[in-house]
């Protein structure tokens, strides 16, 4: 088996969180752990869970989970020929406030697909959260039909004034 080839079966990864093939995106990547240490892992984008997870070989639990809210940006890296830490592989950076997570892909088509699917999932996640917050805000201002028609139970911000 070659480096960065295959699927979760070749890495022996059986995630506890199930992968829905129609919705979730999975691929084999090399993730930079520190300067010169890279580890081959399964990366899964969970749009419904609003996060992505990295699974080390022969594990069930993710070694790293990154929430879409943490991600500041995703960018393709094009290092100069002599400075690429993994010559021949294509690099992508997932930038968060505290750390940049560098990923290496075997093929350019894989990095392009992952890049577009991750950006799409993050966009849809932020869009759905905005709709939810608008709906919750509207619910706070709505009153029941009975209260609107009868006027009973409406708490006015003005205190009644009595004279005499």
């Amino acid at each position: 088996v070659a480096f960065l080839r295959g699927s979760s079966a070749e890495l022996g990864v059986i995630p506890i969180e199930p992968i829905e093939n129609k919705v979730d995106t999975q691929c084999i990547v090399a993730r930079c752990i520190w300067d010169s240490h890279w580890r081959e892992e399964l990366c899964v984008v969970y749009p419904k869970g609003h996060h992505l997870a990295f699974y080390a070989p022969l594990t069930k639990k993710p070694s790293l989970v990154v929430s879409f809210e943490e991600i500041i940006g995703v960018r393709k890296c094009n290092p100069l020929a002599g400075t690429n830490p993994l010559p021949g592989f294509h690099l992508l950076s997932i930038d968060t406030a505290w750390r940049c997570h560098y990923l290496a892909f075997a093929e350019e088509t894989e990095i392009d697909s992952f890049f577009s699917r991750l950006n799409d999932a993050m966009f849809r996640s932020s869009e759905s959260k905005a709709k939810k917050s608008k709906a919750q805000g509207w619910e706070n201002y709505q009153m029941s039909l009975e209260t609107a028609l009868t006027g009973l139970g409406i708490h006015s911000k003005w205190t009644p004034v009595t004279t005499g």
Side-chain angles (χ1 to χ4, degrees), residues 76-87 89-92:
K76 295 178 188 176
C77 302
N78 296 319
L80 300 173
T83 61
N84 189 342
L86 293 175
F89 292 95
H90 306 276
L91 303 179
L92 179 118

Side-chain angles (χ1 to χ4, degrees), residues 22-97:
K22 291 182 180 179
V23 180
D24 302 333
T25 302
Q26 63 175 320
C27 58
I28 303 294
V29 300
R31 183 170 63 91
C32 182
I33 307 299
W34 62 81
D35 290 339
S36 61
H37 183 76
W38 294 73
R39 181 169 58 194
E40 190 174 27
E41 296 180 330
L42 174 69
C43 177
V44 183
V45 178
Y46 293 104
K48 290 182 181 177
H50 308 288
H51 68 277
L52 59 108
F54 296 93
Y55 296 88
L58 304 172
T59 60
K60 293 182 179 185
K61 294 181 180 179
S63 54
L64 175 69
V65 175
V66 180
S67 169
F68 291 165
E69 291 178 351
E70 293 178 58
I71 298 174
I72 296 170
V74 179
R75 58 190 166 91
K76 295 178 188 176
C77 302
N78 296 319
L80 300 173
T83 61
N84 189 342
L86 293 175
F89 292 95
H90 306 276
L91 303 179
L92 179 118
S93 174
I94 298 174
D95 302 331
T96 65

